[in-house]
């Protein structure tokens, strides 16, 4: 906990904290962002290229183990699509109107685990499995990895354990792929985690340990317990470079998708990307990759619930993981379970300093309104967390005038990309409850 004086100093240095503390919606602009391509010591782009190649090696395994991925040749990827009816709804909420393209990146429909975590989480488990199999001379890099789906490999991996701390979706991804390969998986779930996610994992033979405390505690406990067991590999959501690299691969694929759709990104055609942010790894990885590709022509904003703006306060104060949202009196209570993180990753926050344009906050009530509208107008179901992306264009167009002017951006030619981060795994009953009930009925 912070002492009073320290909070007082912070409030004086960062007046925006007044509004944040009162859980108003804000837009924070990052003054540390750099125009030139930053060079990073902490993380090299080669790791992303390496990840893309590894995922290709594994595509025949993925195809064999998850037949639903056959049509994508075992590559776990989502489409981009226009959402014309929703565009109107969003435009009505931007006071000065909305110009340019609007696209949705459909990670809610990612195969296998239905959220952005399918990229990073599945990648890290595959990387670990490959390393074990190579070290034990069971495979060679040039082999057809489809054979990893055979019983002999299941029995081999079954000697090993994997653990992870999660608010839900990362646990789902790690649990599903880990159990499929044969690993003994333990998921340390924070209090937000939905009952159906725990149930689904237990059905797959995953051990789920529940905590009455928040995400940071679940991760800490998981890390501690895993460290005691030499057979156990811990997927560290706060610090993992493999996870980050897996997420970043999305940027390479998006570049191809935009080219295919003949959508230009250059000095006269800015690309705006809006990503829901929890601990930071998912959106951070994507942002890192996009910055490498589009340099100063991409403008990336992270969205967080008004009660959980951990990346915003961590980056603004430069304190990163040394400050939690509860230190300034926020509750970290939100129906956006994937974003209920009180303390951001320092690894990601530091990497984002020269990259990120800013962070905005969004109310839970908006997430639910947007959820219903997206269903009604586009017949797309996205979980509440994912709707933090939908608020992005509204926040930036309404409150980001100084940014748009300073950068002299041609907004008529802009493309706005809302990154939809999850939804497909939500069971039908829960979906219907989200769609039919009003926000205040859900929270009661
Ligand atoms: C985890 C998650 C995010 C955010 O990713 P982080 O790596 O925690 O920042 C966003 N949306 C959904 C649906 C998620 O599950």
């Amino acid at each position: 906990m912070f002492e009073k004086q320290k909070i007082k100093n912070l409030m004086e240095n960062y007046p925006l904290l007044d509004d944040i503390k009162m859980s108003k919606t804000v837009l924070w602009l990052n003054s540390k962002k750099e125009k030139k391509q930053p060079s990073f010591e902490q993380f090299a782009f080669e790791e992303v290229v390496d990840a893309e190649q590894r995922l290709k090696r594994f595509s025949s395994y993925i195809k064999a183990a998850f037949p639903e991925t056959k049509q994508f040749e075992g590559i776990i990827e989502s489409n981009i699509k226009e959402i014309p009816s929703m565009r109107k709804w969003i435009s009505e909420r931007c006071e000065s109107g909305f110009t340019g393209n609007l696209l949705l990146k459909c990670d809610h429909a990612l195969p296998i685990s239905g959220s952005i975590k399918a990229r990073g989480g599945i990648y890290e488990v595959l990387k670990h499995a490959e390393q074990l199999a190579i070290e034990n001379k069971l495979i060679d890099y040039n082999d057809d990895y489809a054979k990893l789906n055979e019983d002999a490999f299941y029995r081999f991996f079954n000697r090993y354990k994997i653990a992870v701390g999660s608010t839900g979706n990362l646990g789902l991804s790690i649990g599903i792929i880990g159990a499929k390969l044969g690993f003994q998986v333990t998921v340390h779930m924070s209090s937000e985690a939905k009952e159906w996610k725990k149930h689904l994992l237990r059905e797959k033979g995953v051990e789920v340990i529940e905590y009455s405390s928040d995400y940071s505690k679940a991760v800490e406990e998981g890390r501690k317990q895993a460290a005691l067991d030499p057979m156990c590999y811990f997927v560290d959501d706060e610090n993992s470079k493999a996870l980050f690299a897996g997420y970043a691969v999305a940027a390479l694929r998006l570049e191809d998708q935009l080219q295919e759709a003949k959508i230009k990104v250059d000095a006269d055609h800015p690309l705006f990307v809006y990503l829901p942010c929890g601990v930071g790894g998912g959106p951070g990885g994507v942002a890192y990759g996009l910055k490498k590709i589009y340099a100063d022509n991409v403008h990336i904003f992270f969205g967080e619930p008004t009660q959980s703006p951990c990346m915003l306060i961590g980056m603004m104060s430069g304190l990163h993981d040394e400050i939690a949202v509860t230190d300034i009196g926020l509750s970290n209570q939100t129906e956006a379970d994937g974003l209920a993180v009180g303390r951001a990753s320092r690894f990601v926050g530091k990497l984002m300093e020269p990259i990120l344009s800013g962070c905005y906050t969004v109310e839970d009530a908006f997430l639910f309104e947007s959820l219903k509208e997206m269903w009604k107008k586009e017949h797309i179901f996205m979980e509440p967390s994912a709707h933090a992306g939908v608020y992005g264009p509204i926040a930036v167009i309404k409150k980001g005038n100084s940014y748009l002017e300073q950068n002299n951006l041609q907004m008529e030619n802009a493309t706005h990309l809302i990154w939809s981060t999850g939804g497909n795994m939500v069971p039908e009953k829960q979906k219907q409850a989200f769609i039919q009930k009003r926000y205040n009925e859900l929270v009661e």
Side-chain angles (χ1 to χ4, degrees):
M1 220 29 201
F2 269 42
E3 62 268 35
K4 277 214 171 76
Q5 190 54 44
K6 204 164 171 189
I7 293 294
K8 203 163 154 248
N9 291 348
L10 273 175
M11 301 298 285
E12 273 168 22
N13 289 338
Y14 305 101
L16 195 64
L17 279 174
D18 275 332
D19 283 350
I20 295 170
K21 206 173 146 59
M22 290 188 291
S23 74
K24 290 189 184 162
T25 56
V26 300
L27 172 71
W28 165 74
L29 296 170
N30 174 21
S31 59
K32 291 185 183 150
K33 179 175 182 274
E34 290 171 17
K35 282 209 174 282
K36 63 172 184 12
Q37 192 65 262
S39 59
F40 296 104
E41 284 152 29
Q42 316 94 301
F43 185 84
F45 190 65
E46 285 69 37
E47 297 201 38
V48 185
V49 178
D50 185 46
E52 195 190 25
Q53 284 163 0
R54 181 167 289 107
L55 289 170
K56 276 188 192 143
R57 285 202 290 281
F58 269 99
S59 61
S60 64
Y61 164 73
I62 294 289
K63 227 169 26 174
F66 302 94
E68 72 266 30
T69 65
K70 270 206 180 102
Q71 49 176 319
F72 320 108
E73 293 300 324
I75 295 292
I76 303 164
E77 195 43 73
S78 74
N79 295 330
I80 49 172
K81 69 176 295 191
E82 290 189 7
I83 40 171
S85 307
M86 200 59 188
R87 185 183 190 284
K88 230 179 275 161
W89 186 82
I90 290 171
S91 182
E92 283 161 16
R93 275 151 191 82
C94 306
E95 274 147 21
S96 50
F98 182 93
T99 57
N101 289 324
L102 180 69
L103 295 173
L104 189 71
K105 175 67 175 162
C106 300
D107 276 10
H108 58 271
L110 275 180
I112 301 180
S113 70
S115 82
I116 189 169
K117 306 293 195 310
R119 278 208 197 80
I122 290 175
Y123 172 69
E124 179 154 7
V125 172
L126 295 178
K127 183 169 191 254
H128 178 58
E130 183 184 53
Q131 195 184 349
L132 290 174
I134 294 270
E135 277 171 9
N136 288 276
K137 304 206 165 34
L138 299 174
I139 54 166
D140 182 89
Y141 289 121
N142 299 314
D143 284 352
D144 180 350
Y145 282 15
K147 71 178 185 189
L148 289 166
N149 198 35
E150 292 165 8
D151 284 352
F153 278 93
Y154 187 93
R155 285 194 299 274
F156 167 70
F157 290 127
N158 203 237
R159 293 169 16 212
Y160 297 90
K161 297 175 192 164
I162 293 178
V164 64
S166 172
T167 59
N169 284 343
L170 185 63
L172 271 188
S173 288
I174 303 285
I176 291 170
I177 186 72
K180 190 70 158 184
L181 280 158
F183 287 102
Q184 302 172 46
V185 185
T186 304
V187 177
H188 299 263
M189 285 286 203
S190 63
S191 56
E192 296 80 26
K194 301 282 183 231
E195 211 41 59
W196 66 264
K197 295 185 183 176
K198 301 177 203 167
H199 181 74
L200 189 150
L201 283 172
R202 286 182 175 129
E203 262 181 5
K204 293 190 184 295
V206 172
E207 184 187 12
V208 178
I209 302 180
E210 299 176 59
Y211 294 85
S212 55
S213 46
D214 76 358
Y215 162 87
S216 305
K217 184 77 189 161
V219 173
E220 188 188 321
E221 275 303 311
R223 189 187 286 120
K224 242 192 319 209
Q225 293 184 22
L228 298 173
D229 185 347
M231 293 299 275
C232 187
Y233 178 85
F234 183 66
V235 176
D236 192 331
D237 199 14
E238 293 174 328
N239 301 298
S240 167
K241 289 183 182 174
L243 202 56
F244 192 81
Y247 287 131
V249 169
L252 306 178
R253 306 220 181 115
L254 179 69
E255 183 188 22
D256 291 342
Q257 291 178 327
L258 290 175
Q259 258 170 15
E260 222 165 275
K262 299 202 164 40
I263 292 167
K264 277 195 231 166
V265 181
D266 56 32
D268 297 321
H269 299 82
L271 173 65
F272 287 78
V273 182
Y274 308 101
L275 291 138
C277 180
V279 72
V286 173
Y288 173 90
L290 289 175
K291 178 76 177 175
K292 274 283 170 194
I293 295 166
Y294 296 116
D296 207 36
N297 299 323
V298 65
H299 306 274
I300 304 161
F301 293 87
F302 288 176
E304 296 178 295
T306 47
Q307 287 297 329
S308 307
C310 63
M311 189 57 82
L312 196 170
I313 63 168
M315 286 189 72
M316 180 170 72
S317 63
L319 290 169
H320 298 292
D321 61 350
E322 286 162 36
I323 186 168
V325 298
T326 46
D327 291 332
I328 59 166
L330 294 173
S331 69
N332 193 28
Q333 298 287 317
T334 167
E335 273 298 314
D337 47 338
L339 312 181
V341 177
R343 201 181 286 276
S345 158
R346 164 171 294 263
F347 163 64
V348 176
K350 288 295 264 183
L351 274 176
M352 288 302 108
E353 279 178 357
I355 293 178
L356 200 67
S357 296
C359 295
Y360 56 86
T361 55
V362 53
E363 289 174 341
D364 276 22
F366 175 90
L367 305 178
F368 281 90
E369 202 188 340
S370 175
L371 185 152
K372 284 170 193 287
E373 292 298 323
M374 189 67 86
W375 179 255
K376 208 158 71 188
K377 295 189 156 65
E378 306 284 351
H379 221 72
I380 294 173
F381 180 83
M382 294 155 50
E383 62 185 271
S385 295
H387 286 272
V390 180
Y391 193 65
I394 301 172
V396 170
I397 291 169
K398 257 169 86 164
K399 301 184 183 127
N401 241 331
S402 64
Y403 181 88
L404 305 178
E405 277 167 19
Q406 228 168 45
N407 290 284
N408 203 10
L409 297 171
Q410 313 266 332
M411 297 308 279
E412 325 77 64
N413 298 338
T415 294
H416 298 263
L417 184 98
I418 293 169
W419 208 286
S420 166
T421 47
N424 262 19
M425 292 294 280
V426 178
E428 202 48 43
K429 210 173 128 200
Q430 269 76 13
K431 274 189 194 173
Q432 288 307 324
F434 281 138
I435 291 163
Q436 279 158 20
K437 285 189 191 154
R438 298 198 170 278
Y439 167 64
N440 52 7
E441 291 168 359
L442 272 166
V443 288
E444 271 159 16

